[in-house]
Amino acid sequence: MRPVRIVSSLRHREPPEPGTGLRLSLFQAENPAGSPDAVMANLARMEEAVALAASYGTQLCVFPECFNTGYALGPDECRLLAESCVGQSVRLARKLSQQHGVGIVLPYVERSETGALHDSVAIAVGGRLCANYRKTHLYGAAERANFTPGDDLPPVVEVNGFPVGVLNCYECEFPPLYQSLADRGARLIVGPTAADRHFTLHDGTPTLVPYPDATEHIIPAMAAVWRVFVAYANRRGWEVSDRGQWEYRGNSGIWAPDGTAVVSAGPAERAVDSLLVADCLPQAVHPFSPEGDHLADSRMRPPEHLLPAG
Protein backbone atom coordinates (compact mmCIF):
# COMPACT_ATOMS: atom_id res chain seq x y z
CA MET A 1 0.00 0.00 0.00
CA ARG A 2 1.31 3.45 -0.88
CA PRO A 3 1.64 5.70 2.18
CA VAL A 4 -1.47 7.63 3.20
CA ARG A 5 -1.25 10.81 5.25
CA ILE A 6 -3.85 10.98 8.05
CA VAL A 7 -5.44 14.29 9.07
CA SER A 8 -7.97 13.96 11.87
CA SER A 9 -10.32 16.02 14.00
CA LEU A 10 -11.93 13.59 16.45
CA ARG A 11 -14.02 14.60 19.46
CA HIS A 12 -13.73 11.31 21.33
CA ARG A 13 -11.86 8.05 21.00
CA GLU A 14 -15.08 6.23 20.12
CA PRO A 15 -17.19 7.29 17.11
CA PRO A 16 -20.54 9.05 17.63
CA GLU A 17 -23.46 7.08 19.02
CA PRO A 18 -26.34 6.33 16.60
CA GLY A 19 -28.44 9.38 15.87
CA THR A 20 -25.97 11.85 17.42
CA GLY A 21 -23.57 12.35 14.52
CA LEU A 22 -21.13 10.61 12.23
CA ARG A 23 -17.41 9.87 11.96
CA LEU A 24 -16.60 10.71 8.35
CA SER A 25 -13.54 9.98 6.20
CA LEU A 26 -12.62 11.55 2.85
CA PHE A 27 -10.04 9.84 0.65
CA GLN A 28 -8.01 12.27 -1.49
CA ALA A 29 -5.57 10.64 -3.90
CA GLU A 30 -3.86 10.65 -7.26
CA ASN A 31 -5.17 7.70 -9.28
CA PRO A 32 -4.80 6.22 -12.78
CA ALA A 33 -7.58 6.79 -15.30
CA GLY A 34 -9.13 5.64 -18.53
CA SER A 35 -8.45 1.89 -18.84
CA PRO A 36 -9.60 -1.46 -17.41
CA ASP A 37 -6.25 -1.70 -15.61
CA ALA A 38 -6.90 1.69 -14.04
CA VAL A 39 -10.28 0.49 -12.79
CA MET A 40 -8.72 -2.55 -11.13
CA ALA A 41 -5.99 -0.41 -9.54
CA ASN A 42 -8.53 2.10 -8.24
CA LEU A 43 -10.75 -0.60 -6.77
CA ALA A 44 -7.72 -2.13 -5.03
CA ARG A 45 -6.93 1.32 -3.65
CA MET A 46 -10.52 1.62 -2.42
CA GLU A 47 -10.11 -1.64 -0.49
CA GLU A 48 -6.97 -0.30 1.19
CA ALA A 49 -8.55 3.06 1.99
CA VAL A 50 -11.71 1.56 3.50
CA ALA A 51 -9.68 -0.79 5.70
CA LEU A 52 -7.58 2.16 6.89
CA ALA A 53 -10.66 4.29 7.51
CA ALA A 54 -12.25 1.46 9.49
CA SER A 55 -9.22 1.34 11.80
CA TYR A 56 -10.12 4.89 12.90
CA GLY A 57 -13.73 3.98 13.64
CA THR A 58 -15.04 5.63 10.49
CA GLN A 59 -18.77 5.22 9.87
CA LEU A 60 -18.86 6.68 6.32
CA CYS A 61 -16.02 6.89 3.77
CA VAL A 62 -16.34 9.13 0.69
CA PHE A 63 -14.36 8.88 -2.56
CA PRO A 64 -13.98 11.49 -5.35
CA GLU A 65 -16.10 11.75 -8.50
CA CYS A 66 -15.75 8.92 -11.06
CA PHE A 67 -13.38 7.19 -8.65
CA ASN A 68 -13.37 3.77 -10.29
CA THR A 69 -12.44 5.03 -13.79
CA GLY A 70 -10.85 8.41 -13.27
CA TYR A 71 -12.53 11.62 -14.42
CA ALA A 72 -10.46 12.66 -17.48
CA LEU A 73 -12.46 10.55 -19.92
CA GLY A 74 -13.91 10.90 -23.38
CA PRO A 75 -17.06 9.21 -24.68
CA ASP A 76 -15.13 6.15 -25.90
CA GLU A 77 -13.56 5.53 -22.49
CA CYS A 78 -16.90 6.02 -20.78
CA ARG A 79 -18.57 3.46 -23.03
CA LEU A 80 -15.71 1.01 -22.48
CA LEU A 81 -15.56 1.32 -18.68
CA ALA A 82 -19.18 1.92 -17.68
CA GLU A 83 -20.80 -0.63 -15.34
CA SER A 84 -24.29 -1.26 -14.10
CA CYS A 85 -25.27 -0.66 -10.47
CA VAL A 86 -24.78 -4.41 -9.93
CA GLY A 87 -21.34 -4.41 -11.60
CA GLN A 88 -17.99 -5.17 -10.01
CA SER A 89 -17.38 -1.69 -8.55
CA VAL A 90 -20.66 -1.39 -6.66
CA ARG A 91 -20.52 -5.06 -5.65
CA LEU A 92 -17.12 -4.43 -4.08
CA ALA A 93 -18.38 -1.32 -2.27
CA ARG A 94 -21.26 -3.34 -0.85
CA LYS A 95 -18.93 -6.13 0.22
CA LEU A 96 -16.50 -3.75 1.92
CA SER A 97 -19.30 -1.86 3.67
CA GLN A 98 -20.43 -5.10 5.27
CA GLN A 99 -16.94 -6.46 5.94
CA HIS A 100 -15.68 -3.31 7.70
CA GLY A 101 -18.91 -1.82 9.03
CA VAL A 102 -18.22 1.37 7.08
CA GLY A 103 -20.72 3.06 4.78
CA ILE A 104 -19.18 3.85 1.38
CA VAL A 105 -19.92 6.65 -1.07
CA LEU A 106 -18.53 5.40 -4.39
CA PRO A 107 -18.81 7.61 -7.49
CA TYR A 108 -18.60 5.59 -10.70
CA VAL A 109 -19.47 5.64 -14.41
CA GLU A 110 -22.81 3.86 -14.74
CA ARG A 111 -24.48 2.20 -17.69
CA SER A 112 -28.22 2.16 -17.02
CA GLU A 113 -30.68 -0.51 -18.03
CA THR A 114 -31.50 1.59 -21.13
CA GLY A 115 -27.83 1.85 -22.12
CA ALA A 116 -27.53 5.52 -21.14
CA LEU A 117 -24.31 6.52 -19.37
CA HIS A 118 -24.46 8.45 -16.10
CA ASP A 119 -22.04 10.15 -13.73
CA SER A 120 -23.35 8.26 -10.72
CA VAL A 121 -22.81 7.86 -6.98
CA ALA A 122 -23.54 4.60 -5.17
CA ILE A 123 -24.10 4.63 -1.41
CA ALA A 124 -23.50 1.25 0.23
CA VAL A 125 -24.28 0.63 3.91
CA GLY A 126 -24.12 -2.74 5.67
CA GLY A 127 -23.80 -4.62 2.41
CA ARG A 128 -26.84 -2.94 0.85
CA LEU A 129 -27.06 -0.44 -1.98
CA CYS A 130 -29.04 2.26 -0.18
CA ALA A 131 -29.10 4.72 -3.07
CA ASN A 132 -27.79 5.10 -6.61
CA TYR A 133 -27.79 8.75 -7.61
CA ARG A 134 -27.33 9.91 -11.20
CA LYS A 135 -25.87 13.42 -11.44
CA THR A 136 -28.57 15.84 -12.55
CA HIS A 137 -26.49 18.98 -13.17
CA LEU A 138 -23.69 18.23 -15.64
CA TYR A 139 -20.72 20.57 -15.97
CA GLY A 140 -19.57 21.80 -19.35
CA ALA A 141 -19.45 20.30 -22.84
CA ALA A 142 -17.27 17.32 -21.92
CA GLU A 143 -19.66 15.97 -19.28
CA ARG A 144 -22.61 16.52 -21.61
CA ALA A 145 -20.81 14.55 -24.31
CA ASN A 146 -20.07 11.72 -21.87
CA PHE A 147 -23.23 11.45 -19.79
CA THR A 148 -27.00 11.69 -19.68
CA PRO A 149 -28.28 13.72 -16.71
CA GLY A 150 -30.39 11.96 -14.12
CA ASP A 151 -33.92 13.10 -13.25
CA ASP A 152 -34.27 12.21 -9.57
CA LEU A 153 -33.66 14.51 -6.63
CA PRO A 154 -30.40 13.98 -4.74
CA PRO A 155 -31.01 11.33 -2.06
CA VAL A 156 -30.96 11.43 1.71
CA VAL A 157 -29.88 8.18 3.37
CA GLU A 158 -29.34 7.23 7.01
CA VAL A 159 -25.89 6.21 8.20
CA ASN A 160 -25.49 5.52 11.93
CA GLY A 161 -29.02 6.86 12.33
CA PHE A 162 -27.85 10.20 10.91
CA PRO A 163 -29.39 11.65 7.71
CA VAL A 164 -26.84 12.20 4.93
CA GLY A 165 -27.54 13.99 1.64
CA VAL A 166 -25.51 13.44 -1.52
CA LEU A 167 -24.47 15.87 -4.27
CA ASN A 168 -21.98 15.40 -7.11
CA CYS A 169 -19.22 17.97 -7.85
CA TYR A 170 -20.74 20.94 -9.77
CA GLU A 171 -24.00 20.38 -7.90
CA CYS A 172 -22.26 21.54 -4.71
CA GLU A 173 -22.55 25.07 -6.14
CA PHE A 174 -26.38 25.10 -6.42
CA PRO A 175 -28.12 26.51 -3.30
CA PRO A 176 -31.57 25.05 -4.19
CA LEU A 177 -30.14 21.52 -4.04
CA TYR A 178 -28.94 22.15 -0.48
CA GLN A 179 -32.36 23.50 0.45
CA SER A 180 -34.01 20.40 -0.99
CA LEU A 181 -31.74 18.10 1.01
CA ALA A 182 -32.07 20.13 4.21
CA ASP A 183 -35.86 20.23 3.80
CA ARG A 184 -35.80 16.43 3.66
CA GLY A 185 -33.82 16.21 6.91
CA ALA A 186 -30.16 16.03 5.85
CA ARG A 187 -27.74 16.99 8.64
CA LEU A 188 -24.61 16.23 6.58
CA ILE A 189 -24.20 16.72 2.82
CA VAL A 190 -21.35 14.95 1.06
CA GLY A 191 -20.10 16.09 -2.34
CA PRO A 192 -17.63 13.91 -4.24
CA THR A 193 -15.88 16.08 -6.81
CA ALA A 194 -13.19 16.29 -9.48
CA ALA A 195 -12.39 20.00 -9.24
CA ASP A 196 -9.22 21.06 -11.01
CA ARG A 197 -7.42 24.23 -11.98
CA HIS A 198 -6.75 24.79 -15.68
CA PHE A 199 -7.80 21.90 -17.91
CA THR A 200 -8.50 20.97 -21.53
CA LEU A 201 -11.95 21.81 -22.86
CA HIS A 202 -14.00 19.37 -24.93
CA ASP A 203 -12.98 21.12 -28.15
CA GLY A 204 -9.30 20.60 -27.32
CA THR A 205 -8.52 24.17 -26.28
CA PRO A 206 -7.18 25.02 -22.82
CA THR A 207 -9.25 26.97 -20.32
CA LEU A 208 -8.30 30.60 -19.88
CA VAL A 209 -9.38 30.81 -16.24
CA PRO A 210 -9.12 28.14 -13.54
CA TYR A 211 -12.11 26.34 -12.10
CA PRO A 212 -13.01 28.30 -8.94
CA ASP A 213 -12.13 26.91 -5.53
CA ALA A 214 -15.61 26.27 -4.12
CA THR A 215 -14.18 25.70 -0.64
CA GLU A 216 -13.14 29.35 -0.33
CA HIS A 217 -16.68 30.73 -0.27
CA ILE A 218 -19.50 28.53 -1.57
CA ILE A 219 -19.07 25.44 0.61
CA PRO A 220 -18.66 27.29 3.94
CA ALA A 221 -21.59 29.56 3.05
CA MET A 222 -23.90 26.64 2.23
CA ALA A 223 -22.95 24.91 5.48
CA ALA A 224 -23.74 28.05 7.48
CA VAL A 225 -26.94 29.03 5.66
CA TRP A 226 -28.56 25.60 5.81
CA ARG A 227 -27.01 24.61 9.16
CA VAL A 228 -25.55 21.35 7.91
CA PHE A 229 -22.11 19.75 7.76
CA VAL A 230 -20.78 19.81 4.20
CA ALA A 231 -18.01 17.48 3.00
CA TYR A 232 -16.15 18.09 -0.26
CA ALA A 233 -14.12 15.05 -1.43
CA ASN A 234 -11.74 15.94 -4.25
CA ARG A 235 -8.81 14.37 -6.09
CA ARG A 236 -5.24 15.58 -5.90
CA GLY A 237 -2.39 15.48 -8.41
CA TRP A 238 -2.63 14.78 -12.12
CA GLU A 239 -4.57 12.83 -14.69
CA VAL A 240 -3.25 12.71 -18.25
CA SER A 241 -5.08 11.33 -21.26
CA ASP A 242 -5.25 11.74 -25.03
CA ARG A 243 -7.56 14.69 -24.39
CA GLY A 244 -5.06 16.64 -22.31
CA GLN A 245 -4.04 17.00 -18.69
CA TRP A 246 -5.86 17.82 -15.50
CA GLU A 247 -4.33 19.01 -12.21
CA TYR A 248 -6.75 18.60 -9.34
CA ARG A 249 -6.98 21.10 -6.52
CA GLY A 250 -6.66 18.65 -3.63
CA ASN A 251 -8.94 20.85 -1.52
CA SER A 252 -11.02 18.25 0.30
CA GLY A 253 -12.52 19.14 3.64
CA ILE A 254 -15.47 19.15 6.01
CA TRP A 255 -17.24 22.34 7.10
CA ALA A 256 -19.46 22.68 10.15
CA PRO A 257 -22.96 24.22 10.36
CA ASP A 258 -21.39 27.53 11.39
CA GLY A 259 -19.23 27.64 8.25
CA THR A 260 -15.94 26.84 9.98
CA ALA A 261 -13.63 24.08 8.78
CA VAL A 262 -13.68 20.92 10.87
CA VAL A 263 -10.79 19.48 8.86
CA SER A 264 -9.33 20.51 5.51
CA ALA A 265 -6.50 19.54 3.19
CA GLY A 266 -3.49 21.84 3.05
CA PRO A 267 -0.28 21.91 0.99
CA ALA A 268 1.06 18.72 2.63
CA GLU A 269 -2.10 16.78 1.71
CA ARG A 270 -1.90 17.98 -1.89
CA ALA A 271 1.51 16.32 -2.19
CA VAL A 272 0.57 12.82 -0.96
CA ASP A 273 -2.50 10.60 -0.81
CA SER A 274 -4.46 11.50 2.31
CA LEU A 275 -7.35 10.40 4.48
CA LEU A 276 -9.23 13.17 6.27
CA VAL A 277 -11.13 11.88 9.32
CA ALA A 278 -13.49 13.98 11.45
CA ASP A 279 -16.44 13.70 13.79
CA CYS A 280 -19.57 15.53 12.63
CA LEU A 281 -21.43 16.31 15.85
CA PRO A 282 -24.18 18.93 15.63
CA GLN A 283 -24.31 19.44 19.41
CA ALA A 284 -20.66 20.53 19.37
CA VAL A 285 -21.36 23.48 17.05
CA HIS A 286 -22.45 26.82 18.52
CA PRO A 287 -25.59 28.47 17.13
CA PHE A 288 -24.90 30.54 14.03
CA SER A 289 -27.41 33.25 14.97
CA PRO A 290 -29.11 34.27 18.25
CA GLU A 291 -32.57 33.53 16.85
CA GLY A 292 -32.45 33.10 13.07
CA ASP A 293 -33.02 29.77 11.37
CA HIS A 294 -32.78 30.08 7.59
CA LEU A 295 -34.53 26.80 6.83
CA ALA A 296 -37.40 27.28 9.26
CA ASP A 297 -37.83 30.99 8.55
CA SER A 298 -37.75 30.79 4.76
CA ARG A 299 -41.12 31.49 3.11
CA MET A 300 -39.71 30.40 -0.27
CA ARG A 301 -40.62 26.75 0.05
CA PRO A 302 -39.36 24.57 -2.79
CA PRO A 303 -41.94 22.88 -5.04
CA GLU A 304 -42.56 19.20 -4.45
CA HIS A 305 -40.49 18.29 -7.53
CA LEU A 306 -37.53 20.45 -8.52
CA LEU A 307 -36.69 18.30 -11.54
CA PRO A 308 -38.79 16.87 -14.37
CA ALA A 309 -39.99 13.33 -14.08
CA GLY A 310 -37.90 10.74 -15.93
Side-chain angles (χ1 to χ4, degrees):
M1 179 177 181
R2 298 197 308 272
V4 175
R5 182 179 177 87
I6 306 297
V7 184
S8 65
S9 177
L10 305 181
R11 288 282 176 168
H12 306 285
R13 185 175 186 84
E14 298 300 319
E17 294 291 326
T20 67
L22 197 68
R23 181 163 294 176
L24 179 65
S25 287
L26 312 179
F27 185 61
Q28 174 174 290
E30 183 176 62
N31 295 103
S35 70
D37 286 344
V39 171
M40 298 310 296
N42 292 334
L43 293 182
R45 193 62 166 156
M46 180 175 72
E47 290 194 67
E48 296 172 344
V50 171
L52 181 60
S55 71
Y56 285 85
T58 292
Q59 293 160 319
L60 183 66
C61 187
V62 184
F63 293 87
E65 184 179 18
C66 296
F67 180 78
N68 68 331
T69 59
Y71 177 80
L73 307 175
D76 290 342
E77 290 90 353
C78 286
R79 283 190 291 270
L80 172 67
L81 302 175
E83 304 176 17
S84 77
C85 64
V86 294
Q88 64 172 346
S89 296
V90 176
R91 286 202 311 270
L92 179 59
R94 293 176 58 188
K95 173 187 172 184
L96 295 174
S97 74
Q98 185 170 42
Q99 177 182 342
H100 294 287
V102 176
I104 298 173
V105 175
L106 173 64
Y108 73 110
V109 175
E110 180 192 5
R111 179 181 290 104
S112 74
E113 57 280 356
T114 67
L117 303 185
H118 299 280
D119 185 347
S120 294
V121 182
I123 302 94
V125 180
R128 296 173 45 247
L129 179 61
C130 294
N132 185 65
Y133 173 58
R134 296 166 176 170
K135 188 176 185 179
T136 57
H137 294 66
L138 301 179
Y139 177 75
E143 283 195 6
R144 294 187 181 97
N146 289 346
F147 303 116
T148 297
D151 292 320
D152 295 331
L153 289 170
V156 177
V157 301
E158 282 209 356
V159 183
N160 193 45
F162 197 70
V164 179
V166 179
L167 296 175
N168 190 345
C169 195
Y170 185 42
E171 297 179 333
C172 293
E173 301 169 25
F174 286 77
L177 295 178
Y178 287 88
Q179 183 171 2
S180 169
L181 290 168
D183 263 320
R184 288 179 282 135
R187 308 287 301 279
L188 161 67
I189 295 173
V190 299
T193 190
D196 40 26
R197 293 183 175 87
H198 291 273
F199 58 97
T200 305
L201 295 169
H202 185 60
D203 64 6
T205 62
T207 56
L208 299 180
V209 296
Y211 193 93
D213 185 348
T215 67
E216 290 184 351
H217 306 291
I218 297 172
I219 301 299
M222 292 301 95
V225 167
W226 301 116
R227 301 295 296 157
V228 293
F229 288 90
V230 179
Y232 197 68
N234 198 4
R235 301 172 178 278
R236 71 163 194 92
W238 293 86
E239 282 184 345
V240 179
S241 74
D242 291 340
R243 293 184 52 236
Q245 59 185 17
W246 284 253
E247 182 191 9
Y248 295 99
R249 282 191 172 275
N251 57 350
S252 300
I254 302 168
W255 284 263
D258 60 0
T260 61
V262 181
V263 64
S264 61
E269 289 73 52
R270 296 185 186 106
V272 296
D273 292 357
S274 301
L275 188 74
L276 282 64
V277 188
D279 287 337
C280 300
L281 289 167
Q283 70 269 26
V285 182
H286 295 298
F288 181 68
S289 169
E291 293 185 283
D293 182 328
H294 295 101
L295 188 64
D297 295 342
S298 174
R299 298 178 67 188
M300 301 292 292
R301 310 315 299 171
E304 183 177 359
H305 299 290
L306 298 182
L307 297 169

